[in-house]
Structures are given as structure tokens and as C-alpha cells.
Amino acid sequence: MEDMSGPHVIRGSVSLPEAELMWRFSRSSGPGGQHVNTSDSQVELRFDLAATEALPPVWKERALERLAGRLVDGVVTVRASEHRSQWRNREAAAVRLAALLAEASAPPPKPRKPTRIPRGINERRLREKKQRAETKRGRTGRDWG
């Protein structure tokens, strides 16, 4: 895991701007013993995707389109509560948000170029097919009397 102080890189030279991240902390569900009722270890990280200037316009457009179902007023939210410490949950949430944005802003895959089957292979297949048909035709029990 990378340091909390370091910027979370989305892709290339683009990273999450610390100033645009909105953090919210609350009590996490699940185990934690006597410590659980006093610490706000669940982390909710919000990032205003619609208003950000940190992403290149093309990426932003793509991300807004692909994450449309997850956005509330242009804001994407990520929750993390799998660790007992708030610090590690912050880390997990930031990494998750960076991965989500990287995936959503990735360029679409190149279209597949259809390839042709070489003629030799096709001919060989047909030859083998004929051979097999001959073999089977030879098994008919007409002449066996």
C-alpha cells in the first residue's frame, strides 16, 4: 500500500486532488470489541466529478457517462469499513476511488479486426470431412448378406 501523504494516481500524470476530496467518518458496523463504539472508523469519500478540473475533459466526459448510475448530483461516493483503523480505511477508500476513476475514464477498446481463415486450412478440413464420410459410407451393411 502507498503512503497516505502521496497523491493517488489515476493514470499517467493525473492524480486525485486532495483539495477536492470530501471525507466523512462514522461508526463502522462489525467487530471491534470495546473500541468499536468510540471510534469513527468507517470512511465515506466523496468526489465531485461534475465540477472537477483535475481530469482532462475527455476523461471527465467518459467517466460521467460510465458512472451515471452511481452519481448523485455529479458526485461519486466510495465507502470503506473493512479495516479497524480509520487511517487504513481512508487509504482503502482513496485507492478504490482512484481505481474507479481510472476504469471509468479509460479509452474504449480498439475494435476487433476480423481475420480470414487461410485457404489451406479450409481445404484440409473439407478433405478430412470427405475422407470420414467415405469411411462411414463403407460401413453400410448392404454387401454383407
Side-chain angles (χ1 to χ4, degrees):
M1 263 198 188
E2 47 194 80
D3 286 332
M4 190 70 201
S5 55
H8 291 277
V9 177
I10 297 173
R11 200 167 56 250
S13 61
V14 180
S15 58
L16 282 176
E18 197 61 51
E20 292 184 31
L21 300 179
M22 295 166 280
W23 300 93
R24 215 171 80 202
F25 309 102
S26 56
R27 299 218 175 117
S28 197
S29 62
Q34 295 151 330
H35 179 65
V36 78
N37 301 326
T38 57
S39 61
D40 292 344
S41 61
Q42 176 172 290
V43 172
E44 187 178 286
L45 175 57
R46 295 158 56 95
F47 180 67
D48 195 341
L49 187 58
T52 188
E53 293 298 316
L55 296 176
V58 185
W59 288 22
K60 189 166 140 179
E61 222 168 273
R62 241 185 254 143
L64 283 168
E65 200 176 298
R66 289 188 188 158
L67 296 175
R70 279 194 69 153
L71 297 176
V72 180
D73 298 331
V75 177
V76 64
T77 307
V78 174
R79 260 200 202 90
S81 60
E82 59 267 22
H83 301 292
R84 277 182 61 176
S85 88
Q86 185 192 93
W87 191 85
R88 284 175 67 190
N89 279 333
R90 281 180 69 142
E91 188 66 39
V95 167
R96 211 174 292 161
L97 179 63
L100 185 73
L101 290 174
E103 195 179 316
S105 65
K110 287 196 175 89
R112 181 185 170 274
K113 265 201 207 134
T115 55
R116 288 196 43 202
I117 299 171
R119 207 166 97 211
I121 289 180
N122 221 5
E123 285 174 357
R124 191 176 72 206
R125 183 180 62 86
L126 292 174
R127 240 195 345 268
E128 284 170 2
K129 227 173 135 136
K130 274 201 177 77
Q131 185 70 48
R132 188 93 186 118
E134 276 301 311
T135 307
K136 290 189 170 190
R137 227 183 26 250
R139 292 181 185 154
T140 52
R142 284 195 305 264
D143 311 333
W144 283 16

